[in-house]
Amino acid sequence: MRRRMTGSDYACQYRAVDSPVHRLPAGWKMLISTALSVWILVVREPTPLFLATVSCLLYYFLARLTVRDFWRDTRYFLVQFCILISLFVYREGYPAGVWPGVRTSLQIVLFFIPGIVFLRTTQVSSMMKGLRKVVPYRILFLLFTSLRFVPFFAREMQEISMAQKLRGARLSPTEASRPVFWRDIFSCLVLPLLVRAMKTADEAALSAQARGMGSRSERTYYDVRELEAYLATHQKDGIATADPKNGEGICPARTSSGGETLTK
Amino acid sequence: MLTVTNLSYTYPEEHQPSLKDISFTVAGGECVCFNGHSGCGKTTLLLALKGLLAEENLEGTIKYGGAPMNREEILAAVGLVFQNAESQLLCSTVFDEVAFGPENICIPPAEIYQRIVESLTAVDLLEFGNRNVERFSAGQKQRLCIASVLSMHPRVILLDEPTSQLDGKGKSDLLKTLRLLKSQGISIIIAEHNIEPFTGIIDRYYLMAAGEITSVQDHAPEEYRYGYGTSTPVERRKRPADSSEPLVSADSVFVSYAGSANILNSVSLEIMPGELLHLYGENGCGKSTLLKTMAGAIRPDSGLLTISGRDFPKAGGLLGIVALLFQNPQRQLFEDTVQDEIAFTLKRLELPTEKIERTVEFTLTLCEVIHLKDRLPLTLSFGEQHRVALASVIAPDPKLLLLDEPFAGLDPTQRLRLLKILTRLREESNTAIVIASHDPLPDPCWADRIITMQNGEIVPPEVSPL
């Protein structure tokens, strides 16, 4: 029953640990990710590809991500691995097609790893702060809130699928491969999932509206590093640990400190 | 003081008003509770107080401290915590979530830091600041929702059915937080079916029906004291038929998920045909996993499991023998009409058309949804959808019916109605029924046996809290 509170059971979700990669500013991480991905795309020979692979893995594990995280993040690439190698072997024969197949599928996996590290190590607020100058805030909000709900819908899909299979729907992988059962996939799985998605989207929109989303043309952005510094300073002074039972901490006099007000 | 005068609201394209002449006052530091059956207008009232309804259809005034508030003022002064914490949390980490509201209303970052610390301290989540909300329990998510509202410095907090997903510990933590807010002068308005956890802090109860306040009282209405004050208990039942062969036999069953310790830890139990069982325990204790294991949806890691004479059955192999009703009926409704929905499994069992028609008719009557048979299931109310979903799983006449948190979202009348239907089902078909819930049953005498679970294990009856 004991579970780590730092991560998530799903791929590409933020992992709350401290690492050199976590501490890097979002812009730098984006730069490193782009450079690594481009490098991976251009290499062809085994030695450079090996070096690129090692670099990617080093970058991944430097972020204190675990082997389990790696498995969650990359397991679906195994499918393309098998398909691509088979296709190359089919086209170029055995063993001539093996190396090109391995190389191409490895490049595809490695291409995405720096991006996965970015998602795993960067809080949404930092991403939004970094990207706000190029992408409108509302679009960023939509994008990152969607990411937040990926695990939610993955869970919903599992539950719906389980509920429907117990009622006799043909949704097992073997059954799903037969076109005669595709109607079940749509009506028993996709339709209830769509209904849940629409309802959840409605509720999330209402929650955002209730907390002032879109009420002003400007918004401010907090900085998680500054907040941690604030916490470190104030915990020393005993403010953050003020005892709420004594009435401290909920509605103190409002400060009038200046700060960064940014246009969306 | 919050003063609401003659508040009325009609939803667009509706003829009947959902709120009619609602008037009440709540002073700073007061906590009031709105009770009423599903659809009586409680949630609409909270949305109106938060300024989330179309202004053109809203009549009456909402004043705070004697002056009417505009939308901008309401935004900061009134905080609304919705029923479903899961869909309300929009950000991945706790800090991001709490900062979201203040950022939207342009609070300077230096003040946001202070508010984050205050709000998280109030709900006792400060140490989780950088954590991913995915791993939070239902209670922690609910408290995080409150923190995300507190960070906007509201003077009034509205809570819509805050306990529907919470177990005993979650409720007691929530109560502690609300007590603290009350002591700090914040007005609290709760809309809730289950008032039992809050009776110590509620100053007044407003009973609502059909959009109107029908009475105001300063003591808890008995009908809404979940599991304590049932005035009309379910009628007495026949005892289950004696049988030497148990329907379910589990011996030292272990179940674990990847990346976690054992969810079920050496669970052993027997369920006899026709037995009514209440599986009780806090969130995360393994109740749902046990139900799914008994339904064949999860295979045990070790141990022996026999269901109706089948060892380690798979989900497909138990079609028509074991049925599982999930908490949210929307997960399993998809057909065009209620009767098609109920006939779905019967068709999959390849029963003759005549038998299917007869069974559908019988099940519709049993679940009291015969009048809805031609309606589209997804357009029904939550309570109706719940009964249709129940009808759809019991239509094949299963020997074992498993229900996972079936009372969430149902009002007291609907809860008792569900128990009555289940009792009739046992009497008609000798179905063994297992209800898993984190609350006592609305009728504490309903079950033949209560099994308490804790940390994936079955607690011996002598130390069970029920």
Side-chain angles (χ1 to χ4, degrees):
Chain A
M1 216 68 69
R2 279 172 284 116
R3 305 175 110 195
R4 288 181 179 277
M5 290 289 287
T6 51
S8 160
D9 286 331
Y10 298 90
C12 306
Q13 295 290 308
Y14 177 73
R15 184 171 169 83
V17 288
D18 187 33
S19 77
V21 184
H22 279 77
R23 285 195 292 271
L24 276 175
W28 277 104
K29 274 188 268 192
M30 205 171 269
L31 209 65
I32 293 171
S33 300
T34 313
L36 272 174
S37 295
V38 170
W39 182 28
I40 287 152
L41 276 186
V42 295
V43 291
R44 282 285 178 274
E45 297 307 314
T47 313
L49 186 62
F50 174 74
L51 284 176
T53 308
V54 171
S55 308
C56 264
L57 292 178
L58 268 178
Y59 185 49
Y60 190 91
F61 290 109
L62 195 64
R64 285 187 59 199
L65 299 168
T66 62
V67 175
R68 192 182 295 281
D69 292 330
F70 188 76
W71 169 244
R72 283 188 187 122
D73 291 339
T74 56
R75 59 185 163 179
Y76 295 114
F77 287 107
L78 284 177
V79 179
Q80 63 91 23
F81 227 92
C82 299
I83 294 172
L84 274 183
I85 293 172
S86 311
L87 286 176
F88 270 96
V89 168
Y90 176 74
R91 200 181 69 170
E92 296 179 20
Y94 178 83
V98 175
W99 165 243
V102 170
R103 186 190 62 206
T104 311
S105 31
L106 192 64
Q107 278 179 308
I108 292 174
V109 184
L110 293 175
F111 176 80
F112 285 103
I113 285 180
I116 292 170
V117 174
F118 181 76
L119 291 173
R120 284 281 198 184
T121 59
T122 317
Q123 289 202 358
V124 169
S125 53
S126 308
M127 293 190 215
M128 285 168 109
K129 198 172 174 184
L131 291 170
R132 67 175 192 269
K133 285 168 189 157
V134 276
V135 186
Y137 170 72
R138 280 168 192 255
I139 293 174
L140 286 176
F141 173 76
L142 195 70
L143 185 70
F144 290 116
T145 307
S146 309
L147 281 180
R148 140 85 183 104
F149 282 100
V150 168
F152 174 78
F153 285 114
R155 270 198 308 275
E156 276 297 311
M157 198 161 83
Q158 278 175 347
E159 293 278 307
I160 291 170
S161 168
M162 189 183 285
Q164 301 292 17
K165 275 192 224 168
L166 291 172
R167 291 182 64 202
R170 283 139 188 168
L171 297 172
S172 71
T174 338
E175 289 166 333
S177 64
R178 296 175 59 190
V180 69
F181 296 139
W182 286 355
R183 184 187 172 269
D184 274 15
I185 296 178
F186 179 75
S187 55
C188 305
L189 183 61
V190 177
L191 193 66
L193 192 64
L194 275 176
V195 171
R196 292 288 296 143
M198 284 191 287
K199 192 164 163 48
T200 306
D202 266 353
E203 289 172 357
L206 211 55
S207 166
Q209 195 190 346
R211 286 191 281 156
M213 171 78 195
S215 65
R216 298 190 181 189
S217 57
E218 291 180 327
R219 86 188 300 264
T220 49
Y221 292 86
Y222 90 106
D223 185 296
V224 74
R225 299 288 161 216
E226 280 179 27
L227 172 62
E228 280 163 357
Y230 173 89
L231 275 169
T233 315
H234 288 76
Q235 267 171 347
K236 260 191 242 163
D237 300 340
I239 292 176
T241 50
D243 183 6
K245 290 181 188 68
N246 296 333
E248 296 166 66
I250 303 293
C251 295
R254 293 181 185 208
T255 59
S256 55
S257 50
E260 194 187 10
T261 303
L262 304 156
T263 308
K264 279 180 201 173
Chain B
M1 177 182 285
L2 173 73
T3 310
V4 176
T5 316
N6 298 331
L7 194 69
S8 297
Y9 182 76
T10 307
Y11 279 102
E13 297 173 24
E14 291 280 333
H15 301 296
Q16 291 294 320
S18 297
L19 296 176
K20 281 184 240 166
D21 280 331
I22 301 279
S23 300
F24 65 95
T25 58
V26 189
E30 268 193 332
C31 176
V32 302
C33 184
F34 283 84
N35 301 120
H37 294 301
S38 296
C40 72
K42 300 188 297 293
T43 300
T44 306
L45 174 62
L46 298 190
L47 294 176
L49 295 178
K50 179 62 191 170
L52 294 175
L53 296 180
E55 263 175 355
E56 57 272 21
N57 299 337
L58 195 67
E59 290 168 22
T61 56
I62 303 169
K63 292 179 183 175
Y64 192 92
M69 286 192 284
N70 61 32
R71 291 225 162 194
E72 182 80 358
E73 288 165 331
I74 288 174
L75 199 59
V78 181
L80 172 54
V81 180
F82 295 89
Q83 183 180 354
N84 189 352
E86 189 74 63
S87 57
Q88 195 175 164
L89 298 175
L90 305 172
C91 306
S92 299
T93 68
V94 172
F95 282 151
D96 283 359
E97 190 64 39
V98 181
F100 179 74
E103 284 178 328
N104 285 331
I105 54 171
C106 292
I107 303 297
E111 190 176 334
I112 292 178
Y113 304 146
Q114 193 181 334
R115 289 186 179 203
I116 289 174
V117 173
E118 293 157 9
S119 310
L120 290 177
T121 305
V123 298
D124 203 16
L125 286 177
L126 187 60
E127 63 181 305
F128 297 104
N130 247 332
R131 301 293 164 84
N132 192 318
V133 297
E134 262 307 299
R135 282 280 167 86
F136 274 24
S137 68
Q140 285 173 319
K141 282 181 180 165
Q142 188 78 38
R143 283 187 285 140
L144 178 57
C145 289
I146 295 179
S148 67
V149 163
L150 280 181
S151 64
M152 297 184 77
H153 279 183
R155 288 172 287 174
V156 181
I157 289 192
L158 317 171
L159 297 120
D160 192 5
E161 295 196 29
T163 66
S164 59
Q165 308 290 328
L166 302 186
D167 57 19
K169 186 181 180 312
K171 283 175 193 149
S172 112
D173 289 343
L174 175 64
L175 180 66
K176 208 163 70 179
T177 303
L178 295 184
R179 214 182 274 280
L180 170 70
L181 300 180
K182 197 172 178 241
S183 72
Q184 300 215 329
I186 294 179
S187 308
I188 301 169
I189 300 177
I190 302 173
E192 181 61 271
H193 291 312
N194 176 15
I195 56 174
E196 189 58 33
F198 304 117
T199 47
I201 59 163
I202 294 172
D203 298 298
R204 272 189 313 286
Y205 297 86
Y206 292 91
L207 291 180
M208 285 185 74
E212 287 179 283
I213 293 177
T214 51
S215 75
V216 186
Q217 53 192 60
D218 54 9
H219 58 274
E222 277 302 302
E223 190 188 355
Y224 294 93
R225 301 190 68 174
Y226 190 98
Y228 292 84
T230 304
S231 52
T232 51
V234 178
E235 65 269 21
R236 291 200 63 78
R237 303 155 296 275
K238 291 182 219 162
R239 300 295 304 162
D242 285 338
S243 167
S244 53
E245 279 296 300
L247 182 66
V248 176
S249 172
D251 184 18
S252 300
V253 167
F254 286 83
V255 172
S256 64
Y257 295 138
S260 66
N262 285 331
I263 306 292
L264 295 185
N265 218 340
S266 190
V267 168
S268 300
L269 88 159
E270 285 190 346
I271 302 173
M272 305 307 284
E275 193 172 15
L276 301 179
L277 198 74
H278 178 206
L279 189 60
Y280 171 78
E282 299 206 329
N283 289 340
C285 73
K287 302 185 300 289
S288 299
T289 305
L290 179 57
L291 293 193
K292 287 171 188 169
T293 308
M294 287 197 282
I298 295 175
R299 198 176 166 81
D301 298 339
S302 63
L304 292 171
L305 178 67
T306 308
I307 312 278
S308 191
R310 291 165 174 79
D311 293 335
F312 298 112
K314 284 185 179 173
L318 293 173
L319 193 60
I321 298 167
V322 179
L324 173 58
L325 180 68
F326 284 77
Q327 185 178 337
N328 192 335
Q330 281 174 349
R331 284 184 178 145
Q332 54 192 79
L333 302 178
F334 59 89
E335 288 282 16
D336 292 337
T337 66
V338 167
Q339 55 184 345
D340 285 347
E341 193 72 59
I342 292 160
F344 178 77
T345 309
L346 303 173
K347 286 179 187 164
R348 288 297 150 97
L349 286 167
E350 295 176 353
L351 298 179
T353 313
E354 205 175 283
K355 186 167 184 200
I356 291 177
E357 283 169 4
R358 226 177 26 244
T359 309
V360 168
E361 194 78 6
F362 169 78
T363 316
L364 286 168
T365 313
L366 180 75
C367 294
E368 303 170 17
V369 282
I370 187 84
H371 59 292
L372 305 170
K373 67 176 184 180
D374 295 319
R375 294 271 304 273
L376 180 67
L378 288 168
T379 59
L380 303 175
S381 71
F382 185 85
E384 289 167 342
Q385 282 184 355
H386 201 278
R387 294 204 301 282
V388 171
L390 174 67
S392 70
V393 297
I394 65 174
D397 192 17
K399 292 180 182 172
L400 175 65
L401 173 63
L402 309 163
L403 301 103
D404 194 4
E405 298 288 356
F407 303 110
L410 299 183
D411 65 35
T413 311
Q414 290 170 334
R415 287 169 181 167
L416 284 173
R417 191 176 190 180
L418 174 63
L419 283 186
K420 281 178 189 163
I421 291 170
L422 296 178
T423 307
R424 277 209 301 275
L425 176 67
R426 196 271 288 270
E427 285 166 4
E428 301 276 351
S429 313
N430 199 34
T431 308
I433 301 169
V434 182
I435 294 180
S437 77
H438 54 242
D439 278 317
L441 293 183
D443 175 1
C445 307
W446 181 83
D448 298 325
R449 188 157 55 110
I450 298 171
I451 290 180
T452 304
M453 284 192 75
Q454 204 172 43
N455 296 326
E457 292 172 9
I458 289 178
V459 176
E462 58 275 13
V463 288
S464 169
L466 288 186

